[in-house]
Amino acid sequence: MTISRREFVQLMGLAGAAGMLPGSAFAAAKKPSDLYEIPKFGNLCLMHMTDCHAQLNPVYFREPSVNLGIGPARGKAPHIVGKNFLQHFDITPGSIESHAFTYLDFDNAARKYGKVGGFSHLATLVKRLRAERGDGNSILLDGGDTWQGSGTAYWTRGKDMVGACNLLGVDVMTGHWEFTYLDKEIITNIGDFKGEFVAQNVSVNEEALFDYRFPDFSGFDEDSGLAFKPYTMKSINGMRVAVIGQAFPYTPIANPQRFIPDWTFGIQDARMQSMVNQVRETEKPDLVVVISHNGMDVDLKMASRVSGIDVIFGGHTHDGVPRPVEISNKGGKTLVTNAGSNGKFLAVMDLDVRKGRLKDYRYRLVPVFSNLLEADKDMQTYIDKVRAPYKDKLEKKLAVAGETLYRRGNFNGSFDQIICDALNKINDTQISLSPGFRWGTSVLPGQDITMDHVMDQTCITYPETYRREMSGEEIKAILEDVADNLFNPDPYYQQGGDMVRLGGLDYVCEPGQTMGKRITNMTLDNGSKIEAQKKYMVSGWATVGSKSPGRPIWDVVADYLKEQGTVKVKKLNTPLLIGVKGNPGIAS
Amino acid sequence: MSLNQKRRVFLKGSLAAGTLGAAAGLLTPGAVLAAWNKNAFTSKNIDEAIAGVVGDPVTTPSKDITIKAPDIAENGAVVPVSVSTNMDGVESITLLVEKNASPLAAVFHLPKGSLPDVSTRVKMGKTSDVIAVVKANGKLFSARKGVKVTIGGCGG
């Protein structure tokens, strides 16, 4: 039986999930009009993007082969990878969606289907959906991590992205890495942003309230002490939709507090509940949604504790999850989504909302393949203009990739290893540490590594490197601390990053253990055991507490790459894992 | 008036007066507090510390006590902790940090008619439970909440 492309796509829409058809149907989808024809449903449409990390141009992005769920999270979305992922979400192996959602056959599929994301391609998709849904029937939400992650974002202090989002027409956003610029820059950027910036969980701390530096900022409310507007009301096709913001709760812990000394964060789920209650009582909304930067595990827990939210549109953990998870709570049900990263996906939720109730919905996490979506001219002109002053520097070829370079995954990716090797080599150290960020794009074998790629991997506002002695005990304490932020069975104690990356050091990790007992058998690359009292020369970057003295990490990595010619990872310092056999969150 | 605003007014007032001991940290020198319970506050043992304040280390866990504290501290040196309860006849609220070298952090003696809702900041050296002991109508109740103290960084 053959079905027309149109029927096929409609079928997918009705099922509310992807991948019900043989790969051949997708393979045949050469024209944009096929893959992106998303049937209308209900009366309003919420589009959601998150964690694009300032990737204005199309990129390659490899999904993780290790995304372990520990304790109650074991084997549940989003902690499923590879073939288990395909099975769980009924996606056909070898299909374009299999490539979009998993790491399987990454190099070949990436060559076949091309790059993902890019704001000019995203803009075309958004414009098309907006037009199809009709005037005033849709809005675009942005979960944050939008203003950071590229060289141009860093050099313009996030302003290039504010401009791009204004052009794209983002209606409401919240943040995380947005808070890694100086507070006065953040306030200015929010002022320039034409949409609304919402966060119910950021308040001005008590000391700062005495003499607050931004008393005239429109989002600040002196009575509640909230630093930003907690929610906004949107009218969509005559329906009143409340959009509440939830910024990354652990920003001043995971990132430098010194840039934002006046603001205090936290999950604040009690405040979220009272906010939802207040909104429901006073605003009489037809729908209440949250744009959240909690991370998916935290969102799933929050959805079980807070009632009255219809949908949580989630980000932070960069999980591309094709179907919302329905969580029961005492008020009914809350849908929880997570929409991937790096501009790779646009989430499209069509909702049937009547008389103040969500009756039904259709959800698709649509992969943005730049070869299948024409570039929007206005956006491309803007991007070219933004990049022009930095173009030569960014497109400078540093080396050639000898293998696939990527970061995402619970432990060292190949690009992390390059960074760690560069630190050890350039700084003449035994051990190097590099943060387990989840952003950072991928490079295919044979592809030139440019400064753009290096900035994609390293671009933060505290990039300085250090070289100093640490005892074996101190190194273990760091590893244990980060491992607990990743594997604590209670999501409220997790921070949503991956494990710290290491160069020159191997270890054994048992994620299911408790804090202090996960890391054992630390050895140097030469096999000698790390001794607790012995000192080791260590280099690293991204220090949160205070500014490190060394050069920015991107200069160190660029210098190393220039020496290499063709870059191959000599040895991946990935730990030996205990107790994860059969866990669907790791490639077998 | 919102809770935050109340607290702010309160804090301002306490700073102006400079004599309110309830917001711990505002008043550091032990000498100022006439009835400073030195033995309890310097005790290394949690049971001794509790007994030193309320006379008995044995308490009954209660769901009627709410401890508000961050799940992960933004700064271990100043962790904001609030304790409130809907119990009647509350005489005192005692706050302890289980893993601190000297666990007893604060004691609030509440005159009759006071609202049992107190806030302070505690110093936490490492991840620990925060324990609140409420003495109400001569009986002892308690609750605990975990607060993680982390090195920070490396978040994605």
Side-chain angles (χ1 to χ4, degrees):
Chain A
M1 185 185 84
T2 52
I3 347 178
S4 76
R5 282 169 206 154
R6 176 178 293 250
E7 283 170 327
F8 155 63
V9 177
Q10 287 198 331
L11 231 167
M12 282 195 6
L14 287 173
M20 294 186 52
L21 281 192
S24 59
F26 256 131
K30 292 279 191 290
K31 289 180 186 168
S33 59
D34 292 330
L35 185 54
Y36 297 106
E37 190 172 310
I38 302 163
K40 275 171 82 165
F41 176 84
N43 52 344
L44 58 98
C45 175
L46 301 178
M47 292 182 276
H48 173 232
M49 55 180 267
T50 193
D51 295 77
C52 75
H53 285 281
Q55 295 305 323
L56 287 173
N57 278 333
V59 297
Y60 293 113
F61 187 82
R62 179 191 182 275
E63 296 296 333
S65 46
V66 188
N67 189 11
L68 290 164
I70 299 301
R74 186 187 188 275
K76 293 192 183 140
H79 299 284
I80 310 168
V81 301
K83 286 177 185 160
N84 291 311
F85 188 103
L86 299 185
Q87 217 165 21
H88 185 91
F89 291 107
D90 301 322
I91 296 172
T92 309
S95 64
I96 193 168
E97 300 227 330
S98 162
H99 171 56
F101 288 108
T102 72
Y103 69 91
L104 298 168
D105 196 27
F106 178 75
D107 296 347
N108 289 328
R111 287 200 182 91
K112 183 171 168 189
Y113 298 115
K115 290 184 174 178
V116 292
F119 261 57
S120 58
H121 307 279
L122 179 65
T124 299
L125 180 57
V126 167
K127 277 185 181 173
R128 174 175 168 173
L129 287 164
R130 246 184 221 138
E132 285 174 2
R133 266 46 180 178
D135 242 5
N137 297 344
S138 67
I139 58 169
L140 175 59
L141 307 171
D142 175 7
D145 279 5
T146 306
W147 303 350
Q148 171 275 346
S150 71
T152 54
Y154 175 76
W155 289 311
T156 65
R157 306 299 286 179
K159 287 198 184 305
D160 66 331
M161 295 310 296
V162 175
C165 289
N166 286 343
L167 208 52
L168 188 64
V170 172
D171 293 287
V172 194
M173 76 176 292
T174 189
H176 166 201
W177 280 90
E178 284 69 18
F179 295 108
T180 59
Y181 297 103
L182 299 177
D183 47 13
K184 59 182 181 195
E185 295 170 326
I186 301 162
I187 294 287
T188 309
N189 281 355
I190 292 174
D192 293 345
F193 174 50
K194 286 182 187 157
E196 289 179 272
F197 189 97
V198 289
Q200 72 88 25
N201 61 329
V202 185
S203 34
V204 178
N205 65 41
E206 283 161 350
E207 292 86 341
L209 270 178
F210 286 121
D211 192 15
Y212 188 44
R213 286 155 51 233
F214 311 105
D216 302 327
F217 173 65
S218 65
F220 170 57
D221 180 58
E222 197 177 357
D223 289 345
S224 65
L226 294 184
F228 305 95
K229 198 173 173 176
Y231 71 91
T232 183
M233 294 301 302
K234 291 280 167 192
S235 176
I236 312 171
N237 198 9
M239 293 289 132
R240 286 173 59 73
V241 178
V243 183
I244 304 174
Q246 174 83 353
F248 176 51
Y250 296 129
T251 304
I253 302 164
N255 308 95
Q257 201 164 25
R258 61 186 190 271
F259 301 148
I260 48 165
D262 292 351
W263 300 334
T264 177
F265 293 62
I267 296 173
Q268 312 291 356
D269 59 5
R271 194 191 292 155
M272 177 65 88
Q273 184 66 71
S274 54
M275 195 67 69
V276 172
N277 296 347
Q278 183 199 323
V279 166
R280 288 224 175 252
E281 276 162 32
T282 59
E283 304 280 4
K284 307 282 178 224
D286 295 291
L287 189 76
V288 175
V289 305
V290 171
I291 41 170
S292 163
H293 211 95
N294 274 337
M296 186 144 188
D297 295 297
V298 177
D299 279 335
L300 292 170
K301 180 172 172 181
M302 192 174 81
S304 73
R305 288 164 58 96
V306 176
S307 57
I309 301 169
D310 293 301
V311 192
I312 299 175
F313 289 97
H316 184 53
T317 36
H318 294 194
D319 302 302
V321 181
R323 268 201 301 268
V325 177
E326 290 190 11
I327 297 291
S328 296
N329 50 46
K330 60 181 178 195
K333 272 185 182 163
T334 299
L335 302 169
V336 176
T337 73
N338 212 270
S341 70
N342 287 273
K344 192 170 172 180
F345 299 102
L346 178 72
V348 183
M349 188 177 273
D350 289 291
L351 307 105
D352 182 8
V353 180
R354 273 177 284 168
K355 293 178 189 160
R357 290 196 76 84
L358 171 58
K359 298 285 181 193
D360 202 357
Y361 71 95
R362 299 289 180 268
Y363 183 79
R364 278 200 57 196
L365 188 56
V366 187
V368 178
F369 281 99
S370 47
N371 287 347
L372 300 181
L373 288 159
E374 208 175 310
D376 177 78
K377 280 200 180 70
D378 292 346
M379 186 65 86
Q380 195 58 51
T381 307
Y382 174 80
I383 294 170
D384 292 344
K385 194 184 88 193
V386 160
R387 283 177 61 85
Y390 315 103
K391 193 173 157 61
D392 290 347
K393 188 174 178 178
L394 287 171
E395 292 178 6
K396 193 174 172 190
K397 177 187 157 180
L398 301 167
V400 177
E403 63 185 282
T404 317
L405 300 180
Y406 65 94
R407 170 175 286 151
R408 185 66 227 285
N410 287 160
F411 305 99
N412 278 32
S414 47
F415 214 131
D416 296 305
Q417 194 68 48
I418 301 291
I419 295 168
C420 288
D421 290 352
L423 280 164
N424 273 340
K425 175 89 191 300
I426 304 280
N427 289 334
D428 189 23
T429 49
Q430 294 165 283
I431 296 167
S432 52
L433 303 173
S434 181
F437 298 137
R438 293 192 172 193
W439 39 271
T441 66
S442 308
V443 188
L444 301 186
Q447 200 185 342
D448 288 343
I449 307 171
T450 63
M451 199 62 195
D452 250 330
H453 293 124
V454 174
M455 297 307 274
D456 286 355
Q457 293 282 339
T458 58
C459 209
I460 61 174
T461 53
Y462 47 109
E464 297 81 13
T465 49
Y466 64 86
R467 177 185 195 275
R468 68 179 177 95
E469 273 193 333
M470 281 187 205
S471 68
E473 205 171 9
E474 279 178 89
I475 298 166
K476 179 170 176 345
I478 293 172
L479 266 57
E480 288 284 1
D481 194 77
V482 184
D484 195 61
N485 287 337
L486 176 60
F487 295 125
N488 193 306
D490 182 346
Y492 278 20
Y493 294 107
Q494 298 171 2
Q495 287 179 24
D498 279 313
M499 186 61 184
V500 59
R501 277 47 177 150
L502 291 141
L505 184 87
D506 290 319
Y507 61 103
V508 174
C509 178
E510 187 172 356
Q513 267 292 1
T514 52
M515 171 103 176
K517 291 184 185 152
R518 291 190 180 93
I519 310 296
T520 51
N521 289 330
M522 300 195 311
T523 53
L524 289 175
D525 271 351
N526 64 16
S528 64
K529 269 200 179 332
I530 297 287
E531 293 168 39
Q533 301 309 320
K534 201 172 162 184
K535 299 275 190 185
Y536 300 88
M537 196 50 89
V538 179
S539 57
W541 60 292
T543 45
V544 166
S546 61
K547 189 174 168 177
S548 280
R551 291 193 299 159
I553 181 68
W554 47 78
D555 287 344
V556 174
V557 176
D559 281 0
Y560 175 79
L561 286 173
K562 280 185 238 165
E563 291 173 8
Q564 301 294 308
T566 297
V567 188
K568 272 199 130 161
V569 169
K570 289 164 203 86
K571 182 190 172 193
L572 198 65
N573 288 111
T574 193
L576 181 73
L577 295 172
I578 295 179
V580 300
K581 208 173 166 211
N583 190 315
I586 186 164
S588 48
Chain B
M1 195 154 82
S2 75
L3 185 66
N4 272 320
Q5 196 182 5
K6 270 185 205 159
R7 206 177 293 154
R8 192 176 157 207
V9 169
F10 159 73
L11 213 68
K12 268 185 175 166
S14 61
L15 269 186
T19 50
L20 261 178
L26 294 179
L27 270 184
T28 38
V32 182
L33 297 162
W36 191 56
N37 188 339
K38 189 181 174 184
N39 285 344
F41 274 102
T42 53
S43 172
K44 309 286 176 210
N45 178 291
I46 193 142
D47 284 352
E48 268 177 36
I50 297 174
V53 178
V54 291
D56 187 344
V58 183
T59 62
T60 310
S62 168
K63 285 193 172 141
D64 295 326
I65 304 170
T66 305
I67 302 178
K68 200 178 153 212
D71 299 297
I72 307 181
E74 289 181 1
N75 179 355
V78 277
V79 182
V81 183
S82 301
V83 182
S84 61
T85 175
N86 51 15
M87 292 178 191
D88 290 329
V90 175
E91 296 155 45
S92 72
I93 297 177
T94 302
L95 195 61
L96 304 105
V97 181
E98 192 173 30
K99 299 255 173 81
N100 273 7
S102 301
L104 183 58
V107 185
F108 301 86
H109 297 283
L110 303 184
K112 234 181 188 166
S114 310
L115 196 66
D117 185 343
V118 299
S119 293
T120 186
R121 290 171 178 212
V122 297
K123 187 172 180 174
M124 294 183 65
K126 58 180 168 186
T127 299
S128 168
D129 275 5
V130 170
I131 300 169
V133 175
V134 172
K135 187 174 183 182
N137 297 318
K139 290 187 178 135
L140 298 176
F141 304 93
S142 67
R144 55 173 66 220
K145 180 186 185 325
V147 176
K148 188 169 158 179
V149 178
T150 156
I151 300 170
C154 303

